[in-house]
Amino acid sequence: MASKEYGVDLDALDQVVKELNQVLKDMGGPKDKAKNQTYLPDGALGKGFEERDRMHKAHNEMKDFIQQQIVDKIEGMIDEFGKKSKQTKDAYEDAEHDNSMH
């Protein structure tokens, strides 16, 4: 059985890190919309009836859910994956450097 060599494409890993960082920058748009551009003024649905209060409360709850449970979690996952990809790339670069010194 022949021995096979495996390699890691450090440029590809570096590109992944760059692209993930760009995705994080691009997440600013959805994050801003979820936080600031879905504002519902208090009197926008009318005044003095029970359904208005429930609708206003439901809107605020959904806005918070989208921001905290969706956008923030996606952003955190992308950030974590980017950091782990960078650590992996750096570890392979260090190993490659150490091997070339021997």
Side-chain angles (χ1 to χ4, degrees):
M1 184 182 242
S3 172
K4 293 183 181 180
E5 287 190 31
Y6 295 93
V8 174
D9 186 342
L10 296 178
D11 290 335
L13 266 175
D14 192 44
Q15 186 62 33
V16 166
V17 172
K18 287 177 184 175
E19 289 179 13
L20 288 171
N21 285 335
Q22 185 60 50
V23 169
L24 280 178
K25 287 179 188 173
D26 293 344
M27 287 293 294
K31 189 171 191 167
D32 181 61
K33 282 184 181 178
K35 183 176 182 181
N36 300 314
Q37 296 181 19
T38 57
Y39 176 69
L40 183 63
D42 191 43
L45 300 173
K47 291 193 181 285
F49 61 98
E50 179 184 340
E51 291 83 0
R52 188 226 66 99
D53 294 338
R54 288 198 327 250
M55 287 172 49
H56 199 270
K57 183 176 185 263
H59 167 81
N60 289 334
E61 288 171 355
M62 184 54 68
K63 175 183 165 187
D64 290 343
F65 178 80
I66 289 169
Q67 181 185 343
Q68 296 168 6
Q69 299 298 319
I70 298 175
V71 175
D72 286 352
K73 286 187 177 185
I74 290 172
E75 188 176 52
M77 179 190 70
I78 293 168
D79 186 45
E80 180 181 354
F81 186 69
K83 287 176 181 172
K84 287 181 179 180
S85 297
K86 182 169 180 356
Q87 288 173 343
T88 300
K89 177 193 155 272
D90 292 346
Y92 275 112
E93 279 182 331
D94 291 347
E96 190 174 82
H97 178 72
D98 290 346
N99 286 337
S100 68
M101 299 292 288
H102 294 105

